[in-house]
Amino acid sequence: MSYCITGVDPGPFVHLYGLPDEALKQHKALRRVATGPSGFPERTQMRDATVGESLLLVNFTHQPANSPYQSSHAVFIAEGAETTVTVNNRVPEYLSKRLISLRAFDGDDLIAAADIASGHDLTVLIQRYLAMPNVWYLHAHFAKYGCFAARIDRA
């Protein structure tokens, strides 16, 4: 089964780019600089930020549905990001090297299935869930911190 994995749209955060730290706090956002090769997963490009890269830690509503599962969490957005990456039929490295919580949602935006998998084994779980007729889309979360990583849809 063909699928696509999509990062976070930076559009809602563009107005925060370049703001002073005090102004960011008023928007419940923080500026962070990546200090290592991992630990700063950037959501628009679905990659680990490079050392020295400026990121914004923002609250992102990844599940805006009018259901009990409506949810938001902190995510890193590269300061200055303009586009969103979509990857077809493969798991990007930033997911494949982490433990992932995968949540399958039905047409009422309710969880139909969920499991945890090593990123290297994620393709099997993605295909199993998308083969379920009641599943409309998937959300991948980093299992340790629980933050949203990407959306997965049938291609």
Side-chain angles (χ1 to χ4, degrees):
M1 168 160 315
S2 294
Y3 62 91
C4 59
I5 301 177
T6 306
V8 171
D9 176 9
F13 308 106
V14 170
H15 71 283
L16 302 174
Y17 297 171
L19 289 180
D21 291 347
E22 285 304 314
L24 287 174
K25 286 181 184 178
Q26 294 174 10
H27 293 277
K28 299 178 186 163
L30 301 170
R31 180 172 289 107
R32 294 292 184 249
V33 175
T35 57
S38 64
F40 297 89
E42 199 282 325
R43 302 319 198 284
T44 67
Q45 303 297 299
M46 295 188 299
R47 62 176 176 78
D48 286 304
T50 58
V51 174
E53 184 175 359
S54 180
L55 302 157
L56 297 178
L57 183 62
V58 298
N59 187 271
F60 172 63
T61 302
H62 57 85
Q63 182 50 289
N66 187 19
S67 85
Y69 290 101
Q70 184 180 61
S71 186
S72 67
H73 205 287
V75 298
F76 287 114
I77 302 293
E79 191 163 15
E82 296 177 357
T83 60
T84 305
V85 165
T86 297
V87 175
N88 294 307
N89 301 315
R90 70 176 177 82
V91 175
E93 181 184 3
Y94 113 128
L95 291 177
S96 71
K97 67 182 187 178
R98 292 178 166 92
L99 184 63
I100 302 296
S101 169
L102 195 63
R103 302 166 190 176
F105 288 90
D106 66 16
D108 293 321
D109 301 302
L110 301 174
I111 292 180
D115 206 346
I116 295 174
S118 160
H120 294 294
D121 300 323
L122 199 54
T123 298
V124 172
L125 192 57
I126 289 169
Q127 291 181 340
R128 181 174 0 136
Y129 284 168
L130 290 179
M132 297 168 63
N134 63 323
V135 170
W136 285 34
Y137 60 94
L138 311 174
H139 279 184
H141 291 253
F142 297 124
K144 288 186 179 181
Y145 287 88
C147 18
F148 178 80
R151 179 179 167 124
I152 305 166
D153 293 282
R154 290 178 188 87

